[in-house]
Amino acid sequence: MTAETAGREDARLPGRASSQALDDILGKIFPVLDDGFIRVVDYMGNDASIVQAARVSYGEGTRKASDDEHLIRYLMRHRHTTPFEMCELKLHVRAPMDVWRQWIRHRTASVNEYSTRYSLAIDAARTLSPEEWRAQSTTNRQGSGEPLPTAVGEELSREEAAFHQQARELYLRRIEQGVSREIARKDLPLSTYTEAYWKCDLKNLLHFLALRMEGAAQYEIRAYADVIGREIVARWVPFAWRAFEDYQLHAATWTAPDLQLLKALLASREEAAALARELGYVRDEADGSLKVLREGNEFAAKLERIALTPPW
C-alpha cells in the first residue's frame, strides 16, 4: 500500500450517519385509524448522506456550494433524485387489507407481509363509526364525497359489525374443522388488518407521500401517509422534508397549455375563454350549457391558489 493510498484509507469513511430525532422514536407505535399503526424499525442515512452522495457524484467543484440545506433544496428543485436514494427507511405497518392493496401498488419498496397461510389471520377489522360513511364523489369516479346522513351511517355500522362477526366465526369454524389456513381465509373481508415490513429509499418514499398525502387520495391511506411524512420523515431528514414540502407537496405544476391559457387570461378574458374551448378545457353542450372538463377543473384549482378565476 502506497503512502497516498494509505492516506485515502485513513480518511475514507465517517461513522454511521444517524439522526438523533429519529433514534428517539425507533420502535415507537404511532396509532393510525382504529387499530392500525406505524413504527420505525431501522433506517440508513440522513440529510448529510444526501449531500455526501451529491458531492461524490458531481465532483470537487460542488464543494463550493453554499450550505447543505441549499444543496438539498437545489437537488429537489431540479429533480436530481439519485442522491436521495442513499437514504432508506424500514417501517413496521399494520393496515386494513383494502388500504394495503393501494399501498402495495408502489412497487419500489422491499416488502415482507404477514402470511395467513402460515398464521391465523389477525383478529381485527377496520370498522367505521356512523359519521365516517362517505358517499361516492360526483366529480371523482374513484373517490369519496360528503358524509352520509348519520341515521344511514348508524344502520351501516350495525350491519358492518354483524358481518365482521359472522365472517370471523366462519373463518374460525373452518380452522377448527381442519381446513387449511390458506383456504379458510378466502372469505375474510378486505377490512381485515394485515402487517408488513416495508423498506423504501427516500426518493421513492417521497413519491409515495406526494401521491398519498394529496387531498384527493383516499382518507384511510392518507392517514398513514400523514404520519409517515409529518411524524417520521420530517424528524429524520428535516432539510429534505422542507424542500419536499416547498417543491412538491405544496407546489403546483403548470403544463404548457396551462401557461398558454394563463398568458391569454392576463391579457384578455374573452381571448382566454375562446382558447379554453380550443384547448379542450371546457365544452359547449347541446343544451347551451358549458361543461368544464377535467383539465379545466385542474386549471381552475391552480388559479384559485393565486387568487385568480378561470375565464368561464
Side-chain angles (χ1 to χ4, degrees):
M1 179 183 296
T2 66
E4 181 182 1
T5 302
R8 289 201 300 271
E9 288 288 329
D10 290 342
R12 68 190 184 278
L13 287 175
R16 180 182 184 272
S18 64
S19 167
Q20 185 60 54
L22 194 57
D23 287 339
D24 290 343
I25 61 167
L26 281 177
K28 177 182 176 180
I29 295 291
F30 288 93
V32 189
L33 303 180
D34 59 339
D35 201 48
F37 65 75
I38 295 173
R39 69 184 181 98
V40 181
V41 176
D42 201 358
Y43 70 98
M44 182 181 75
N46 57 17
D47 277 324
S49 305
I50 301 168
V51 172
Q52 179 189 52
R55 287 177 172 155
V56 166
S57 174
Y58 297 158
E60 291 294 326
T62 61
R63 294 188 183 275
K64 297 178 182 179
S66 51
D67 58 26
D68 287 358
E69 183 170 13
H70 287 167
L71 177 55
I72 287 173
R73 292 179 71 83
Y74 173 87
L75 295 170
M76 185 75 70
R77 192 165 62 248
H78 293 278
R79 302 180 185 178
H80 296 307
T81 57
T82 302
F84 296 95
E85 296 178 21
M86 300 300 107
C87 296
E88 292 189 346
L89 184 69
K90 182 162 69 172
L91 302 175
H92 179 195
V93 177
R94 180 183 175 105
M97 289 182 179
D98 59 335
V99 174
W100 184 244
R101 178 173 287 181
Q102 295 182 62
W103 197 318
I104 203 66
R105 287 179 59 81
H106 296 264
R107 298 180 297 276
T108 49
S110 298
V111 182
N112 194 47
E113 185 181 358
Y114 182 93
S115 174
T116 50
R117 293 186 68 199
Y118 299 115
S119 304
L120 290 178
I122 294 171
D123 187 11
R126 163 75 167 144
T127 60
L128 298 183
S129 67
E131 296 77 22
E132 290 181 296
W133 295 93
R134 306 186 296 270
Q136 176 64 42
S137 171
T138 58
T139 58
N140 183 345
R141 294 181 182 178
Q142 62 177 1
S144 299
E146 296 300 314
L148 291 170
T150 302
V152 175
E154 289 173 349
E155 178 61 24
L156 291 171
S157 291
R158 283 194 294 270
E159 292 174 348
E160 177 187 60
F163 173 71
H164 285 173
Q165 182 177 355
Q166 182 182 18
R168 187 70 190 183
E169 289 174 353
L170 174 62
Y171 170 73
L172 292 176
R173 280 201 304 274
R174 289 172 177 174
I175 296 296
E176 291 169 359
Q177 292 168 350
V179 176
S180 69
R181 288 184 289 272
E182 66 180 16
I183 296 297
R185 64 182 177 170
K186 76 181 188 66
D187 295 312
L188 288 171
L190 284 175
S191 55
T192 305
Y193 274 90
T194 187
E195 294 186 16
Y197 284 97
W198 191 74
K199 181 170 72 70
C200 193
D201 68 63
L202 183 58
K203 170 196 169 183
N204 288 296
L205 176 57
L206 292 178
H207 178 68
F208 169 86
L209 295 176
L211 293 175
R212 300 307 182 177
M213 292 180 73
E214 202 273 328
Q218 182 178 338
Y219 163 75
E220 283 77 11
I221 196 167
R222 197 167 70 242
Y224 284 90
D226 283 343
V227 170
I228 295 171
R230 303 187 197 285
E231 299 292 343
I232 296 173
V233 177
R235 298 171 190 257
W236 172 34
V237 282
F239 291 167
W241 175 252
R242 287 196 289 270
F244 169 71
E245 285 189 305
D246 289 344
Y247 303 132
Q248 292 190 43
L249 187 60
H250 302 312
T253 300
W254 296 83
T255 66
D258 282 348
L259 293 175
Q260 185 183 358
L261 186 53
L262 178 60
K263 182 178 179 180
L265 177 61
L266 294 175
S268 162
R269 294 188 68 85
E270 291 75 17
E271 177 186 338
L275 182 58
R277 289 171 169 80
E278 181 182 330
L279 292 173
Y281 281 34
V282 297
R283 182 178 66 212
D284 292 305
E285 298 290 273
D287 62 3
S289 64
L290 185 71
K291 181 176 179 60
V292 182
L293 303 177
R294 178 174 295 180
E295 200 164 358
N297 284 319
E298 293 171 1
F299 179 71
K302 295 172 193 176
L303 287 180
E304 184 179 358
R305 298 178 66 174
I306 56 174
L308 293 177
T309 55
W312 51 79

